Amino acid sequence: MTTTWAKPQRPATEDRRWKALGVCLTAGFISLLDTSIVNVALPSMEHGLGATEAAQSWVVSGYALTFGLALVPAGRLGDMRGRRQAFLIGLAVFTLASAACGLAASADWLVVFRLIQGAAAGMVAPQTSGLIQQMFQGAERAKAFGLLGSVIGVSTAVGPLAGGLIIDAVGTDDGWRWVFFVNLPIGVAALAAGLRLLPRFPVVGRREEFDPVGVLLLGSGVLALMLPLVQEQQWTGRQKWALVPLGALLLALFWTWERRQGRLGRAPLVDLRLFSLRSFTLGALVSLTYFAGFTTVFFVLALFLQNAAGYSALASGVTVLPFAAASAVGAALGGRLVVRHGRKLVVLGLSGVAVGLLGIIAVVRLVPLDSFGWAAALPMIVGGIGSGITVSPNTTLTLTRVPVKRAGAAGGVLQTGQRVGSAAGIAVVGSVYFAHLANRGPAVEALQLGLLTSVGLILLALCLAAADLRERTKAPEAEDLEPAA
């Protein structure tokens, strides 16, 4: 059966579209920064607010949960009602929630505001990828996604450094508050610029109804999958894993419901025809497995450097700075080269990340801990460049043939996979790391085993990308870098 898509809208031609992109990237930066900057502030929350371990866990995992749950419904809402409006509402709520987090009078209120902040971040994220597809085409779109890839890589890696700098400057008692307050001037400035610069695209086609049953099924399924993963260390016992088959069942029901919606001519939450595009399906799988390995590196490194090597939060953040800087360079480079080299670039990038992580493992084994930061700089740079030329080109290639009308929901699906992958990776790698420590194994060996697990996940993503490249060579998918008409 031939898949027919609606003709895409022409991209914005105004000179200000690159400035509008800057607004989107700024909002994306602060929302992704908040996934990692809070980690180094947890001791400050315990000291200054009296937050229990359970509250600290929910400050971190609650944000990830509501972020992931909001992505697809928010993306679909932007597709239906306009991405500019959805973006600005999400950014405004995120900024207000950041202020509320910083002013929280108790740990319980902090958790509540943190949940709201995560949902707002999830509302902003899919609008960014959708607006890029509306404003740009071809090589310019690849360049724009390259800049987005830089933001993803840098914001994830620089969070611990930023948090360490803030707490070092303000102090332990109130440092955690300023981790949230730092979002306020950036959020207000981005909101003001967005009101002036973001283009107003008319919503084309017939007015479609929202799919509340689809939202409920997808949200319940993702929640059941993510909850035992993000709470893996806090919820003892094996009963929590019963939620995983429940989540799989709910997602199967979601798939059945969405197919029914399509057969009846109603607007589904996720157009399942997206998965008939090999570039989208394979790219989403590569993204999920890569983020499972990529984000866990900073998790186990932060634990090892601060708990075993005696590094401060600031010193721990400085150690991963070469990765962040190299990731930004790699993403910008990938955005320029993806038009010419396509999926080959993703394979090269994943190989670079694996080599970089193996280099870090070698440094851990061979170099004294007090020299680890300097010795690990080179493999950090190699891994960072590889990460940059993985995330940016893979995002471009995954979304390139998605029609603009479905860009928000497609971006939400892609980023939901990233969030689930990150949670799963942290659960798996964290279990390996903590299990070795629980058996009284040396922390150095625990880190090596954790990083080897991350390498295994990266290699799985590499196998998927290589398989796609091999199939593409045999039977190339038409017009890789233009959306289907």
Side-chain angles (χ1 to χ4, degrees), residues 14 101 131 157 213 225 238 245 281 291 300 308 316 355 377 392 426-428:
E14 299 89 343
C101 286
L131 285 166
V213 175
L225 282 180
R238 298 180 179 179
T281 303
F291 269 76
V300 293
S316 175
V355 170
S392 165
I426 288 174
V428 171

Side-chain angles (χ1 to χ4, degrees), residues 34-65 101 106-112 114-115 117 167 172 176 179-180 230-235 299 303 306-307 426:
D34 267 47
T35 62
S36 59
I37 192 174
V38 172
N39 291 334
V40 298
L42 295 178
S44 176
M45 291 176 193
E46 182 179 9
H47 188 273
L49 192 65
T52 63
E53 287 188 6
Q56 293 174 52
S57 172
W58 273 101
V59 166
V60 176
S61 61
Y63 184 89
L65 278 172
C101 286
S106 69
D108 290 340
W109 279 112
L110 176 59
V111 170
V112 170
R114 184 73 168 154
L115 294 172
Q117 188 191 34
I167 292 170
T172 304
W176 68 271
V179 163
F180 298 110
V230 299
Q231 292 293 105
E232 200 275 334
Q233 295 301 319
Q234 286 70 36
W235 289 1
F299 174 69
L303 289 172
Q306 294 185 59
N307 296 338
I426 288 174

Side-chain angles (χ1 to χ4, degrees), residues 18-33 87 91 94 124 128 147-148 151 155 183 185-191 193:
W18 290 101
K19 295 180 180 178
L21 175 64
V23 174
C24 295
L25 297 183
T26 300
F29 178 81
I30 58 174
S31 61
L32 289 170
L33 184 74
F87 177 92
L91 180 56
F94 178 86
V124 169
T128 297
L147 294 173
L148 178 61
V151 167
S155 60
N183 292 330
I186 303 173
V188 170
L191 193 59

Side-chain angles (χ1 to χ4, degrees), residues 92-369:
V93 174
F94 178 86
T95 305
L96 290 173
S98 297
C101 286
L103 294 171
S106 69
D108 290 340
W109 279 112
L110 176 59
V111 170
V112 170
F113 296 137
R114 184 73 168 154
L115 294 172
I116 297 171
Q117 188 191 34
M123 188 170 186
V124 169
Q127 317 312 329
T128 297
S129 59
L131 285 166
I132 287 175
Q133 288 183 265
Q134 282 187 297
M135 294 190 292
F136 303 100
Q137 281 185 351
E140 286 191 331
R141 181 183 292 175
K143 182 179 178 182
F145 275 125
L147 294 173
L148 178 61
S150 296
V151 167
I152 293 172
V154 172
S155 60
T156 303
V158 84
L161 173 62
L165 285 170
I166 291 170
I167 292 170
D168 190 61
V170 179
T172 304
D173 286 347
D174 292 322
W176 68 271
R177 296 186 184 274
W178 288 93
V179 163
F180 298 110
F181 287 151
V182 73
N183 292 330
L184 300 186
I186 303 173
V188 170
L191 193 59
L195 287 168
R196 183 170 59 90
L197 294 172
L198 289 179
R200 298 177 182 271
F201 287 101
V203 179
V204 298
R206 64 185 177 88
R207 190 176 181 87
E208 297 176 336
E209 295 297 324
F210 206 53
D211 180 11
V213 175
V215 171
L216 179 63
L217 289 173
L218 179 62
S220 301
V222 172
L223 180 63
L225 282 180
M226 288 187 67
L227 201 54
L229 295 172
V230 299
Q231 292 293 105
E232 200 275 334
Q233 295 301 319
Q234 286 70 36
W235 289 1
T236 58
R238 298 180 179 179
Q239 295 89 342
K240 60 178 177 285
W241 299 115
L243 288 173
V244 173
L246 175 62
L249 175 61
L250 289 168
L251 291 179
L253 291 174
F254 167 75
W255 186 276
T256 302
W257 173 262
E258 295 299 281
R259 289 185 62 183
R260 177 180 179 275
Q261 290 288 92
R263 286 197 303 268
L264 295 177
R266 299 171 184 169
L269 180 65
V270 176
D271 193 334
L272 298 182
R273 291 178 298 172
L274 288 170
F275 295 97
S276 68
L277 295 173
R278 186 182 63 204
S279 55
F280 180 81
T281 303
L282 265 295
L285 288 173
V286 168
S287 183
L288 186 151
T289 51
Y290 175 66
F291 269 76
F294 157 64
T295 52
T296 57
V297 174
F298 307 106
F299 174 69
V300 293
L301 268 178
L303 289 172
F304 172 78
L305 291 174
Q306 294 185 59
N307 296 338
Y311 282 41
S312 67
L314 178 57
S316 175
V318 170
T319 302
V320 300
L321 188 59
F323 191 103
S327 179
V329 173
L333 186 64
R336 293 190 179 97
L337 297 178
V338 65
V339 175
R340 186 184 309 167
H341 299 289
R343 187 65 67 182
K344 294 178 183 177
L345 209 56
V346 178
V347 172
L348 178 63
L350 289 167
S351 302
V353 177
V355 170
L357 292 185
L358 290 173
I360 295 172
I361 292 170
V363 168
V364 173
R365 176 174 290 273
L366 301 174
V367 176
L369 290 182

